[in-house]
């Protein structure tokens, strides 16, 4: 018997070659990193832009050179645009987005949770929300102007309406995905309805809510340019639309770049919040 | 004393016809009794547990805990779920302390009490971990500690070790017996493992499906013997244990045969 249990000592002094590391064959993307490819693609697009503009393949009016756009950033920074400095334009847009997002989140989360929990709330609120939310914001923009005038109110309202639906719907989805064991466990530990809501339902729905907020902010940036069509004198969206009328393509490029940077920063911020608030997402 | 008296449950099938899930089940769990419901899936054992926990009303019959009829869930019955049902955003210690939080116990006091329970289930060092960082067996220990925290009159356990590997399962069984022995809690335990039922129960209810009912009962003392000696191997390999195992297996199989013949 004893010869059967003989094994090679693990710590042998013999220098063994480094073992070949293997992994289960994955399907689809798996864990392969994509950042380098994305960065390379970005650089390639920039190089293509530079090449096309430099060789005058497209009239300069349609496609300004990268250098011109950079110069324009400096000029806009020092001189402003249409009577307001660049930072005032950026601030005006950020103010609208942040205010509208706050209102949409403050209303969308409780209403969405309520719709996920209560038959009456679901029945009543479903009608207006399901009716309006598939509409493109531009289609009801004229109504906003007629009803609310051309001031900040109509712009903020348009943005709130666009951002409310995804937050509200995701909060509902969050309640629906709540496992019944979790509710039953809390009940058998003596949770009262309010505690059930605050300690179980709300945190359970948080991952979905945060996904909804991220989608909402994306839609918000998309709607911003439309909102700033309404008799604005400030805002990045206004700057883009106004510059387009004067065929100042380089200013349009700068505006698009600023929106892209802002939107990316917002998205990154929400991802950071997700990482802090719901590190357990998808793990249990 | 927990008294289940002619408990019957009918569910509505998809087409609206009644499905007889539980048929006039009666039994009692005395002080420090450990009752195990044993049966294949569909025999109504989970239905029975859900009714005792108050998650499911009865169609007929009554469940009475210490003189009061059961109406809805309550902290007097601690439940350990098959899936651990821990809160993934709370640390292990705050999960254990959850029931005490609902009971209005101050934070420092409930943390102290939860720490005590974590030590009881051997997880004293994992207080600050999040549930997803623990193994399945450790999560079930947290579930047990959480259910014990509110000092319930009875512990209801719904196949708590069903998802664990057999080695972890045996460790958990022995841990549960030592907790039961120390705290003298009444336990109602569900399993589909004959060996687990025999090893743990002071009484085993053998259940059979369609309709879910108790077809045999056994009063046992293996669990007390283990609590006294701590020798699981000699108990599980004893001829007495083996013959009961075969007897119960025969009962379960004949119930299965009757069903397929019908």
């Amino acid at each position: 018997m004893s010869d059967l249990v003989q094994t090679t000592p693990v710590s042998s002094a013999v220098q063994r070659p480094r073992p070949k590391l293997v992994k289960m064959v994955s399907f689809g993307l798996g864990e392969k990193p994509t950042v380098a490819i994305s960065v390379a693609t970005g650089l390639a697009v920039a190089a293509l832009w530079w090449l096309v503009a430099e060789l005058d393949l497209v009239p300069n009016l349609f496609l300004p050179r990268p250098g011109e756009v950079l110069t324009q950033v400096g000029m806009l920074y020092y001189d402003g645009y249409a009577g307001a400095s660049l930072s005032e334009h950026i601030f005006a847009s950020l103010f609208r987005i942040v205010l509208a997002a706050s209102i949409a989140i403050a209303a969308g989360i409780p209403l969405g949770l309520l719709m996920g929990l209560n038959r009456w709330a679901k029945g009543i609120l479903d009608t207006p929300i399901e009716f309006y939310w598939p509409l493109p914001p531009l289609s009801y923009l004229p109504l906003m102007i007629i009803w609310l005038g051309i001031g900040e109110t109509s712009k903020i309202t348009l943005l709130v309406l666009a951002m409310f639906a995804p937050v509200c719907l995701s909060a509902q989805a969050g309640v629906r995905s709540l496992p019944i064991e979790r509710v039953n466990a809390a009940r058998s530990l003596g949770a009262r309805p309010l505690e059930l809501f605050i300690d179980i339902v709300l945190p359970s729905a948080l991952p979905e809510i945060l996904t909804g907020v991220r989608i909402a902010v994306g839609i918000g940036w998309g709607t911003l340019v439309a909102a700033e069509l309404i008799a604005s004198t400030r805002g990045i969206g206004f700057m883009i639309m106004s510059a387009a009328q004067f065929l100042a393509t380089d200013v349009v490029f700068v505006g698009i770049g600023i929106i892209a940077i802002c939107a990316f920063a917002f998205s990154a911020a929400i991802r950071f919040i997700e990482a802090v608030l719901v590190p357990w997402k998808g793990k249990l | 004393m927990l008294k289940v008296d002619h408990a019957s449950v009918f569910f509505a099938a998809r087409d609206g016809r009644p499905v007889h899930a539980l048929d006039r089940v009666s039994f009692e769990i005395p002080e420090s009794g450990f009752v195990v419901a044993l049966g294949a899936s569909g025999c109504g054992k989970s239905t029975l547990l859900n009714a005792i926990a108050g998650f499911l009303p009865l169609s007929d019959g009554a469940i009475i805990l210490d003189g009061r009829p059961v109406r809805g869930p309550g902290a007097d019955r601690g439940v350990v779920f098959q899936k651990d049902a821990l809160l993934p955003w709370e640390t292990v210690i705050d999960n254990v302390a959850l029931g005490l939080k609902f009971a209005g116990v101050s934070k420092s006091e409930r943390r102290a009490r939860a720490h005590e329970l974590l030590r009881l289930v051997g997880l004293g060092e994992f207080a600050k971990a999040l549930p997803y960082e623990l193994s399945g067996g450790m999560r079930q220990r947290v579930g047990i500690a959480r259910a014990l925290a509110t000092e319930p009159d009875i512990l209801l356990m719904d196949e708590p070790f069903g998802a664990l590997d057999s080695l972890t399962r045996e460790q958990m069984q022995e841990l549960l017996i030592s907790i039961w022995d120390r705290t003298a809690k009444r336990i109602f335990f569900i399993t589909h493992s004959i060996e687990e039922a025999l090893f743990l129960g002071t009484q085993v209810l053998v259940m059979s499906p369609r309709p879910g009912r108790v077809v045999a009962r056994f009063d046992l003392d293996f669990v007390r013997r283990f609590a006294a000696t701590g020798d699981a191997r000699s108990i599980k390999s004893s001829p007495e244990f083996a013959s009961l195992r075969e007897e119960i297996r025969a009962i379960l199989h004949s119930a299965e045969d009757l069903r397929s013949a019908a």
Side-chain angles (χ1 to χ4, degrees), chain B residues 26-197:
Chain B
S26 298
F27 66 95
E28 288 170 357
I29 306 182
E31 284 311 314
S32 75
F34 197 142
V35 174
V36 180
L38 167 70
S41 48
C43 73
K45 54 195 196 297
S46 284
T47 305
L48 182 57
L49 184 135
N50 283 334
I52 299 172
F55 304 145
L56 175 74
L58 290 176
S59 300
D60 196 23
I63 295 168
I64 292 152
L65 178 61
D66 297 327
R68 298 181 310 274
V70 162
R71 288 198 193 87
D76 52 350
R77 284 147 291 145
V79 183
V80 180
F81 293 83
Q82 185 172 13
K83 258 178 61 195
D84 47 64
L86 301 175
L87 303 184
W89 54 88
E90 299 278 24
T91 56
V92 163
I93 190 157
D94 286 334
N95 262 292
V96 174
L98 190 64
L100 299 171
K101 184 180 171 188
F102 295 147
V105 178
S106 75
K107 192 161 190 158
S108 58
E109 201 182 326
R110 64 183 191 243
R111 284 252 168 106
R113 177 96 186 95
H115 240 302
E116 226 170 87
L117 284 161
L118 279 176
R119 273 197 295 274
L120 180 72
V121 297
L123 286 179
E125 282 147 49
F126 293 90
K128 293 272 178 282
L130 284 168
Y132 72 81
E133 296 168 314
L134 304 185
S135 70
M138 286 155 90
R139 284 212 291 267
Q140 278 307 8
R141 291 178 201 219
V142 179
I144 294 171
R146 179 177 71 173
L148 287 170
T150 48
E151 298 188 357
D153 300 322
I154 181 168
L155 211 53
L156 309 174
M157 308 183 77
D158 187 358
E159 290 196 44
F161 310 148
L164 305 180
D165 65 85
S166 59
L167 285 175
T168 311
R169 192 173 181 144
E170 287 185 358
Q171 287 171 1
M172 292 295 287
Q173 290 167 357
E174 292 174 16
L175 174 73
L176 180 63
I177 292 173
S178 79
I179 290 171
W180 171 75
D181 189 45
R182 262 185 279 174
T183 61
K185 283 266 180 268
R186 283 172 289 188
I187 298 179
F188 179 67
F189 187 102
I190 282 179
T191 183
H192 56 248
S193 155
I194 299 172
E195 191 149 318
E196 186 164 78

Side-chain angles (χ1 to χ4, degrees), chain A residues 143-189:
Chain A
L143 278 180
M144 295 293 115
I145 300 174
I146 295 168
W147 290 343
L148 300 169
I150 56 172
E152 283 299 306
T153 319
S154 55
K155 298 179 189 64
I156 303 288
T157 310
L158 188 79
L159 285 172
V160 169
L161 283 174
M163 291 198 259
F164 170 80
V167 176
C168 179
L169 295 175
S170 65
Q172 272 185 70
V175 177
R176 270 201 300 275
S177 69
L178 172 63
I180 187 67
E181 287 93 353
R182 208 175 276 169
V183 176
N184 280 341
R187 279 201 184 130
S188 69
L189 289 168

